Amino acid sequence: MSRTRYSSEPRDAEAFQDGFDHTYTRIAGVYDFAVKVLPVWKTWLKHALPYITGRRVLEVSFGTGYLMTRYASQFEVYGIDLNARMVAVAKRNLSRAGVSADLRQGTVEDLPYDDGFFDTVVNTMAFSGYPSATKAMAEICRVLAPAGRLVLMDINYPANENWIGTRLTHCWQYAGDLVRNMDRLLADHGFEYEDVEIGGFGSVHLYVCQLTER
Ligand SMILES: C[S@@+](CC[C@H](N)C(=O)[O-])C[C@H]1O[C@@H](n2cnc3c(N)ncnc32)[C@H](O)[C@@H]1O
């Protein structure tokens, strides 16, 4: 019997979102420290770098901006994150790294950019914290250029349902993250994609997605 249990969407999206937002306000400093000192997180994030392509790049939910500091010098970079403290810490990190990007506070569900503006959208370890998978994905698709690329990293079940990776995925769910059927979601939004398991016994996935239809 399969141990894969996808999450239901929250009944109260606003309360769900506010809960995460309050948490990030409390932990922004600790989060920044953890990303900088924990080799495993940095190693996961760096898997996204070779797939970023084109001229204009949007990172949705950049957190404290670690990944962005690694690629911002090579592209025209924009970023949006819901949490004001994360945005402030990311601005400081980019400035210390001597790179720049247009960073704003806002939600993935209402991106303040024109249709088709970006060649690549980057999204790491954040999608499972969004209250509506379809609203978030529709907005990401809207701002992507025709044949644009989405580089999405998040927790999900290992394809081979190994015991440790499956339990790790359950742990994220217990912690409040929403594990979705990404195969269905990406296909429904017109993507062709490669799903690479990059760590956590197959529970950390990198989806490299190409828009195929509008
Ligand atoms: C776990 S952190 C990931 C940060 C970073 N991408 C990383 O990999 O370290 C999740 C981030 O998503 C942001 N976030 C949560 N809900 C959001 C929303 N609706 N729109 C935009 N950002 C959101 C949070 O503020 C937080 O910075």
Side-chain angles (χ1 to χ4, degrees):
M1 196 181 73
S2 172
R3 289 188 287 260
T4 298
R5 293 198 305 262
Y6 292 120
S7 311
S8 315
E9 301 295 273
R11 287 213 188 102
D12 186 340
E14 207 177 314
F16 178 87
Q17 188 72 98
D18 287 351
F20 266 115
D21 197 32
H22 287 135
T23 303
Y24 286 117
T25 299
R26 270 192 289 114
I27 66 162
V30 177
Y31 190 95
D32 187 39
F33 180 73
V35 172
K36 284 173 179 160
V37 300
L38 286 180
V40 65
W41 198 269
K42 281 193 280 205
T43 305
W44 291 345
L45 292 186
K46 282 186 209 161
H47 279 278
L49 291 172
Y51 299 102
I52 301 173
T53 184
R55 185 161 72 90
R56 287 198 199 112
V57 176
L58 171 66
E59 185 165 344
V60 182
S61 304
F62 49 75
T64 53
Y66 171 77
L67 185 61
M68 199 181 269
T69 62
R70 307 301 300 247
Y71 68 81
S73 63
Q74 299 160 55
F75 305 95
E76 184 181 316
V77 178
Y78 300 73
I80 192 157
D81 193 286
L82 186 72
N83 186 264
R85 284 209 58 208
M86 297 296 248
V87 175
V89 176
K91 283 185 175 169
R92 193 181 63 205
N93 283 334
L94 261 66
S95 161
R96 282 182 182 160
V99 293
S100 62
D102 177 336
L103 300 190
R104 303 187 195 188
Q105 183 191 0
T107 174
V108 64
E109 293 189 4
D110 186 17
L111 297 173
Y113 310 104
D114 290 342
D115 296 1
F117 194 65
F118 295 103
D119 301 300
T120 298
V121 171
V122 178
N123 184 248
T124 63
M125 309 308 275
F127 203 90
S128 52
Y130 298 154
S132 167
T134 49
K135 279 189 191 166
M137 195 56 86
E139 231 353 45
I140 287 171
C141 288
R142 182 187 65 75
V143 300
L144 267 178
R149 178 176 288 180
L150 167 64
V151 181
L152 192 154
M153 186 181 299
D154 212 350
I155 298 299
N156 217 305
Y157 287 99
N160 66 5
E161 299 196 358
N162 75 77
W163 192 88
I164 303 178
T166 302
R167 287 294 175 281
L168 286 172
T169 308
H170 286 158
C171 286
W172 285 89
Q173 284 180 302
Y174 293 138
D177 280 72
L178 305 173
V179 175
R180 272 83 175 222
N181 183 338
M182 293 305 283
D183 293 322
R184 201 165 65 200
L185 189 67
L186 291 169
D188 283 353
H189 286 82
F191 285 107
E192 275 179 4
Y193 60 94
E194 191 187 350
D195 173 1
V196 190
E197 296 180 357
I198 58 165
F201 298 89
S203 64
V204 183
H205 294 242
L206 179 66
Y207 301 92
V208 182
C209 320
Q210 209 72 41
L211 264 186
T212 56
E213 53 192 65
R214 305 298 284 181

